[in-house]
Amino acid sequence: MRAMLVLRLRARLLLSYAVVTALLVAAFSQMAVGLMHTHEVVASVGQEELASFEREQRVYVAAWALELAVRRGVVACEQRDSSAATVHRAVASARRDLQTALGAGTEQLDAGFRASAQDYVQYALQLEQAGTCESMLSFPLRERRLQLDEVLTTVWSERTRDMRLAIQAKEDHARAIGSAALSSGGLFGLLGILAAGVLALSQARAVSNSVALLSTHARRIGQGDFSPLPPLRGPEELRALSLDLDRMRARLAELDQLKSAFVASVSHDLRTPLARVREALSLLGDGSTGPLTPQQARVVKLAQAACEREIRMVTSVLDLSRVQSGQPLQRNAGASVDQIVRNVLQDLAFEADERKVQLVYEAASKPVRAPIDDPLVERALSNLVSNAISVSSAGKTVRISCELVSRKRPGAASPVPAVQLSVADQGPGVPAHAREWIFRPFASLEVGGRRSTGLGLTIAREMITAHGGELSLADTPGPGATFTFWIPLEDPASPGGRLDT
């Protein structure tokens, strides 16, 4: 199963990467194609336009050389510096060079330019046939040469301009191709980046939210809350993991129920022998079996205190099982909070005397009565006071205070009147990391050099919560710890049933 989950997750991640990779490859391909087209355009400029320009340039140079030969011949004939034969040879040589330039490959030359160069050849042949010097000095042929010169110059200028425009057009075309390639490549690249961001964000959000929710569920299960887990929305792999976690939660819930049933069963089985031990110790203490020495009487009192403490613990465990099973509280509408406190002080007086700890009670300004299950509240308070005595050193004081307050129930719109009891000791206090952890069942905590493990605080919180109240560790300055709980003065099952105080 785990291997299948890993394979599915790997396939999903590979698919996400494949989409991004495809977009980036498309961007690279667009840019590569654009560069290839640009290279082709640039190559066409070199292969076509420049090659044609070079051919026309050779023809133009040859024609201009013929023009220069004729001009020098005219000057020579006018000044008679050279013979007619020399002038004739120079013109004939320039004419042959022009014919050679017009030979191979001239079919691709511009028609007007080729016609102008051929006219120069015909002009030179006409000079040679009529006698070079005589023809050069004749007015019609001189006018003809000037016309040919003007036409050749004009045609070459136009060809140069056309060549420049053609090259510029190719450059513009290449630039347009490059811009289009960069634009499309940039677009695909941007889409790739956006797709990568969206995929990464969606995957991270789906995974992180699901993992955070799974972490919350696991932490809740670790804290002893075995209520069913809600369905998880997220990747299939994490949904499967959530189902595994829920199955584990169900199994732990079964084990927790078995543990509670076992503890309740053992506690119930211990009540009868503990009651017999209490009765036997009572007979010894009141002298029914004969007088006791002071030392024996003290030992009997110690045994009675220990027996009463165990009986309270067993009874508390049974009451906790009753509360956790959902059975209704046996509320006493006129239960006296002061009487509950006095009962606790009386039961723990011997234990406090043994540790030389002073118990002080600060009552409310007037008697307080509340609709409570007084045995449960008494046991909750007894657990708190007993813990406070156990962590206090000789000469210290444990202070119990009672007051009327207003507290707001979870989900309620307005606060309700409540009675609040606080138990403050002068012991070493509770470390910050254990402020909530100490309320867990069988929590182990080293206090004052002694390791304490038990159910006292767990039982107390469950019993107070069953009354619609709340038990917490107050954040008070100075040494010691202060545990505070409050109980509403109204029965939550009977709205408006407030009692007089």
Side-chain angles (χ1 to χ4, degrees):
M1 181 67 178
R2 183 179 301 175
M4 292 178 62
L5 292 177
V6 171
L7 289 176
R8 284 200 294 266
L9 182 59
R10 184 178 300 170
R12 181 175 299 179
L13 293 176
L14 288 176
L15 179 61
S16 302
Y17 292 144
V19 172
V20 177
T21 303
L23 290 173
L24 294 178
V25 168
F28 177 78
S29 301
Q30 288 291 328
M31 297 179 68
V33 170
L35 290 176
M36 292 176 60
H37 288 171
T38 303
H39 177 73
E40 292 176 358
V41 172
V42 173
S44 68
V45 172
Q47 293 175 359
E48 299 176 6
E49 304 296 339
L50 294 180
S52 176
F53 181 77
E54 289 178 356
R55 288 192 297 269
E56 292 179 354
Q57 185 180 26
R58 286 196 296 270
V59 173
Y60 177 77
V61 170
W64 185 248
L66 176 59
E67 169 66 21
L68 291 178
V70 173
R71 290 185 180 184
R72 293 190 187 98
V74 171
V75 173
C77 291
E78 288 178 346
Q79 298 179 357
R80 300 185 182 278
D81 291 339
S82 301
S83 62
T86 302
V87 173
H88 180 79
R89 285 195 299 271
V91 172
S93 176
R95 188 253 312 160
R96 287 192 296 272
D97 292 340
L98 178 57
Q99 287 179 323
T100 302
L102 286 171
T106 57
E107 298 82 4
Q108 300 178 358
L109 294 178
D110 180 75
F113 183 77
R114 184 172 61 250
S116 177
Q118 289 175 349
D119 289 342
Y120 253 105
V121 172
Q122 296 300 324
Y123 169 73
L125 290 173
Q126 187 176 0
L127 290 178
E128 295 173 19
Q129 292 174 0
T132 305
C133 281
E134 291 80 359
S135 300
M136 288 182 179
L137 296 177
S138 67
F139 181 78
L141 290 180
R142 293 181 69 175
E143 287 293 327
R144 174 66 175 161
R145 181 175 60 80
L146 292 176
Q147 292 176 357
L148 292 176
D149 182 28
E150 182 179 356
V151 171
L152 180 64
T153 302
T154 302
V155 171
W156 176 249
S157 298
E158 291 176 354
R159 288 299 300 149
T160 304
R161 183 196 62 196
D162 294 341
M163 180 64 65
R164 184 177 68 254
L165 293 177
I167 294 176
Q168 183 177 356
K170 292 292 181 70
E171 289 179 352
D172 293 341
H173 183 49
R175 193 177 296 111
I177 293 175
S179 299
L182 289 176
S183 299
S184 58
L187 178 60
F188 279 106
L190 181 60
L191 290 177
I193 295 173
L194 292 177
V198 170
L199 290 174
L201 182 61
S202 61
Q203 292 285 346
R205 181 177 298 174
V207 172
S208 62
N209 292 343
S210 301
V211 170
L213 188 58
L214 287 176
S215 176
T216 301
H217 293 336
R219 186 163 53 251
R220 179 163 61 84
I221 293 173
Q223 293 173 352
D225 184 359
F226 300 118
S227 56
L229 302 182
L232 180 71
R233 294 182 179 179
E236 182 180 356
E237 300 80 7
L238 295 181
R239 292 201 302 270
L241 180 59
S242 177
L243 294 177
D244 292 340
L245 184 63
D246 191 58
R247 284 191 288 269
M248 182 189 71
R249 184 235 13 117
R251 181 56 179 162
L252 289 175
E254 294 177 1
L255 295 177
D256 185 68
Q257 291 177 355
L258 291 175
K259 179 199 69 176
S260 300
F262 172 76
V263 173
S265 177
V266 171
S267 300
H268 184 271
D269 292 340
L270 286 175
R271 291 187 70 176
T272 300
L274 285 174
R276 292 177 179 177
V277 171
R278 172 199 278 173
E279 183 178 357
L281 291 174
S282 178
L283 293 174
L284 286 173
D286 61 16
S288 299
T289 58
L292 301 175
T293 64
Q295 291 82 2
Q296 291 172 336
R298 179 171 180 76
V299 171
V300 171
K301 281 190 173 294
L302 288 174
Q304 284 179 325
C307 182
E308 291 297 331
R309 184 166 54 249
E310 296 305 318
I311 289 175
R312 287 196 303 272
M313 178 57 68
V314 169
T315 306
S316 297
V317 171
L318 293 175
D319 289 335
L320 176 63
S321 299
R322 177 166 63 88
V323 170
Q324 289 182 336
S325 65
Q327 296 183 20
L329 300 180
Q330 299 174 2
R331 292 179 181 270
N332 179 4
S336 172
V337 176
D338 291 333
Q339 186 60 46
I340 291 174
V341 177
R342 284 193 291 270
N343 292 342
V344 171
L345 295 180
Q346 181 179 355
D347 291 341
L348 298 177
F350 182 78
E351 183 177 341
D353 291 340
E354 284 294 313
R355 295 190 61 84
K356 296 181 174 56
V357 175
Q358 183 181 7
L359 299 178
V360 176
Y361 174 48
E362 298 176 353
S365 58
K366 58 181 180 178
V368 180
R369 295 184 180 276
I372 58 178
D373 190 332
D374 41 346
L376 293 186
V377 177
E378 183 177 327
R379 291 183 191 109
L381 180 61
S382 178
N383 288 342
L384 296 179
V385 176
S386 179
N387 285 345
I389 293 174
S390 66
V391 298
S392 299
S393 56
K396 299 298 182 180
T397 299
V398 173
R399 192 174 305 275
I400 303 98
S401 60
C402 176
E403 59 180 327
L404 292 173
V405 295
S406 293
R407 289 290 182 265
K408 189 175 181 180
R409 291 195 188 104
S414 58
V416 297
V419 57
Q420 178 172 288
L421 289 170
S422 299
V423 178
D425 61 61
Q426 296 175 335
V430 180
H433 68 276
R435 293 182 64 86
E436 282 297 324
W437 177 66
I438 57 175
F439 291 100
R440 294 174 57 185
F442 302 103
S444 178
L445 181 65
E446 185 173 346
V447 180
R450 298 190 310 150
R451 181 163 293 277
S452 174
T453 304
L455 289 167
L457 291 176
T458 304
I459 293 173
R461 172 172 274 190
E462 289 286 345
M463 292 178 176
I464 299 302
T465 303
H467 282 82
E470 182 179 352
L471 169 62
S472 60
L473 175 60
D475 189 9
T476 55
T482 300
F483 288 88
T484 300
F485 69 84
W486 60 269
I487 298 175
L489 295 178
E490 296 177 352
D491 185 353
S494 302
R498 183 176 302 178
L499 299 175
D500 296 332
T501 59

